[in-house]
Amino acid sequence: MQISLYAKIYNDLKAKISTGIFQIGDMIPPEKELVQIYGVSRITVQKAVNLLAKDGIVERKSGVGTFVIDSDNKEIPKRFIGLILPGLTDSYGNRLLQTIISEAEKSNYQLVLKFSEESQHKESALVDELINMPVDGLLIEPVQRNFYDENLIKKIYSDFPIVILDKELDGIDSMFVGSDHYTGAFESADLIIKKSHRNVVVIGYAHIKNTTLEERIEAFTAAFWETTTPLVSKHVARIIRSTYLSTDLALLKSDVSLIKSFIDAIQPTCVICLDTHVTGLVQEALSELHLSFPDDISLFGFDSNNSSYLSTNYTYLMQDENAIGVKSVELLKKAIRNEPIENRRLLISTTLRQNGSVKDISLS
């Protein structure tokens, strides 16, 4: 007698549970995903899952998903995933963290959060600490440095489930979830070009070079090459030496002075700031130069700083932290379960927020 399709799916899922691919507390793939995996109808999948539930192997939670349970009603063992962040800022990180915590809880995972504080040495030690804990998988936003952590690269190539967030490791075959910085920056440059700005400057860091910042520069350069006035190298100022973690007042004041000198020398119509820390320094420099935006000069930034002491009324490119959080946990769970992964590199669309700080100078 030929076994039915739903029975085959039932047996396959049951086998994956008994062999530990899906463990107690795990959420099995949703019905829509199971339909794609097995190439059957939704009704067939529902029959298989209903049978698992009837046999006390899984439990359906309305609006959440279907979870593996212990038929003997033993306590569900705790499962952990690790998250390493360089730090949190008002402009990026808080919403991402909240989303990751929520998504982990939905799958009965507890999140273990660690901060590397932009230290590559600490980042390396935390990777070892969490893996030895052990966690089942790891989400990590790398520190802002020119060189990658050798220990992290080794763990990636050992096939331990690791998903990189925000700053892609160029040339490394890692799973990645982050913003589509290039497309968003190109569209932002197009907005500035359409407002007739040609004498623009980009302000960034002297010693920090990562894929996020470089893609933003590359996109602006590519967009302006399509105009009659390309963005030449002398208009890209890699001069900022402080970071968002800096507390050295003298260093911060020095950066502001460098910005003032640069703006005085170039006399741009628009200043493009590569992140919110740079934007804050530029705002201070413009204030000391007695320049207001957009009346005297236009200002564009990336992400928005919600600090009470810093104006947020500028046009900027916003990242979708909620989508990054959801997709990163989803990708990590697939890696933990050894499920097929079609796309290891997920780019999330950005949104251009126009707050009037980029003036249309053709109308002046």
Side-chain angles (χ1 to χ4, degrees):
M1 181 177 178
Q2 188 175 15
I3 188 170
S4 62
L5 286 175
Y6 80 86
K8 287 182 179 180
I9 297 170
Y10 166 87
N11 289 332
D12 185 59
L13 291 172
K14 186 177 179 181
K16 287 179 178 178
I17 292 169
S18 63
T19 57
I21 294 177
F22 297 127
Q23 299 184 26
I24 295 171
D26 278 351
M27 183 175 72
I28 67 172
E31 289 181 358
K32 185 177 180 180
E33 195 170 322
L34 291 174
V35 166
Q36 295 176 341
I37 292 171
Y38 293 106
V40 296
S41 69
R42 190 160 189 164
I43 293 175
T44 300
V45 166
Q46 286 175 341
K47 284 185 177 180
V49 175
N50 287 339
L51 186 56
L52 288 170
K54 182 179 179 181
D55 290 346
I57 298 171
V58 300
E59 178 184 16
R60 292 179 178 274
K61 293 184 179 180
S62 180
V64 180
T66 302
F67 295 84
V68 178
I69 60 174
D70 191 324
S71 58
D72 295 328
N73 293 318
K74 295 177 182 177
E75 184 180 354
I76 296 176
K78 293 180 179 179
R79 306 284 304 283
F80 299 94
I81 58 175
L83 172 63
I84 301 176
L85 296 174
L88 291 177
T89 67
D90 290 322
S91 62
Y92 182 85
N94 284 319
R95 289 189 301 275
L96 175 67
L97 175 58
Q98 292 167 8
T99 302
I100 289 175
I101 291 172
S102 175
E103 292 301 304
E105 288 177 347
K106 287 179 184 178
S107 299
N108 284 348
Y109 278 99
Q110 291 192 20
L111 187 72
V112 183
L113 173 64
K114 300 287 184 178
F115 291 103
S116 63
E117 299 174 334
E118 295 292 356
S119 165
Q120 198 165 76
H121 175 75
K122 188 171 183 179
E123 177 187 87
S124 181
L126 289 174
V127 169
D128 282 336
E129 177 186 333
L130 290 175
I131 290 177
N132 293 331
M133 184 180 165
V135 295
D136 294 298
L138 184 61
L139 301 168
I140 178 168
E141 179 186 341
V143 299
Q144 297 192 85
R145 292 294 181 269
N146 295 338
F147 302 101
Y148 302 145
D149 173 18
E150 183 179 345
N151 186 42
L152 174 60
I153 304 305
K154 286 180 179 178
K155 294 297 189 295
I156 290 171
Y157 283 119
S158 71
D159 291 329
F160 185 83
I162 294 177
V163 174
I164 303 298
L165 304 175
D166 186 50
K167 295 184 283 289
E168 195 166 7
L169 303 178
D170 192 26
I172 306 299
D173 183 24
S174 62
M175 291 182 288
F176 172 77
V177 181
S179 298
D180 188 350
H181 295 288
Y182 187 91
T183 300
F186 194 94
E187 292 172 353
S188 302
D190 187 56
L191 166 73
I192 294 169
I193 290 168
K194 286 178 177 176
K195 290 183 180 291
S196 300
H197 291 274
R198 296 297 182 270
N199 182 24
V200 304
V201 294
V202 177
I203 299 182
Y205 293 93
H207 307 298
I208 297 175
K209 195 174 184 180
N210 57 54
T211 54
T212 296
L213 301 177
E214 292 307 305
E215 284 180 2
R216 290 170 178 176
I217 294 172
E218 289 170 10
F220 268 88
T221 302
F224 273 88
W225 266 109
E226 297 179 4
T227 71
T228 56
T229 52
L231 182 64
V232 295
S233 59
K234 73 174 185 178
H235 283 220
V236 179
R238 299 177 184 269
I239 56 176
I240 304 303
R241 294 172 298 161
S242 62
T243 73
Y244 68 94
L245 292 175
S246 295
T247 57
D248 185 340
L249 187 58
L251 179 60
L252 295 168
K253 287 183 176 180
S254 174
D255 281 340
V256 170
S257 294
L258 289 171
I259 294 169
K260 288 166 62 179
S261 297
F262 181 70
I263 290 175
D264 266 339
I266 303 295
Q267 295 289 307
T269 61
C270 182
V271 180
I272 297 145
C273 310
L274 287 184
D275 67 11
T276 52
H277 176 67
V278 175
T279 306
L281 294 172
V282 168
Q283 286 179 323
E284 176 60 27
L286 294 180
S287 176
E288 293 182 14
L289 289 169
H290 305 290
L291 297 173
S292 63
F293 58 89
D295 293 335
D296 301 317
I297 192 168
S298 290
L299 180 68
F300 179 86
F302 290 87
D303 299 319
S304 174
N305 198 318
N306 296 316
S307 298
S308 59
Y309 58 85
L310 187 65
S311 169
T312 60
N313 189 29
Y314 58 87
T315 297
Y316 66 96
L317 195 70
M318 183 180 73
Q319 301 186 66
D320 190 342
E321 295 178 58
N322 292 329
I324 294 172
V326 170
K327 291 297 182 182
S328 62
V329 174
E330 182 181 293
L331 184 60
L332 184 63
K333 288 191 299 182
K334 286 186 176 182
I336 291 171
R337 296 168 179 167
N338 293 313
E339 294 179 13
I341 297 175
E342 294 181 5
N343 189 359
R344 291 166 55 87
R345 181 174 181 261
L346 302 178
L347 297 180
I348 309 300
S349 297
T350 54
T351 303
L352 186 59
R353 296 282 185 173
Q354 298 195 49
N355 289 325
S357 68
V358 179
K359 183 179 180 180
D360 190 338
I361 58 177
S362 67
L363 302 177
S364 301

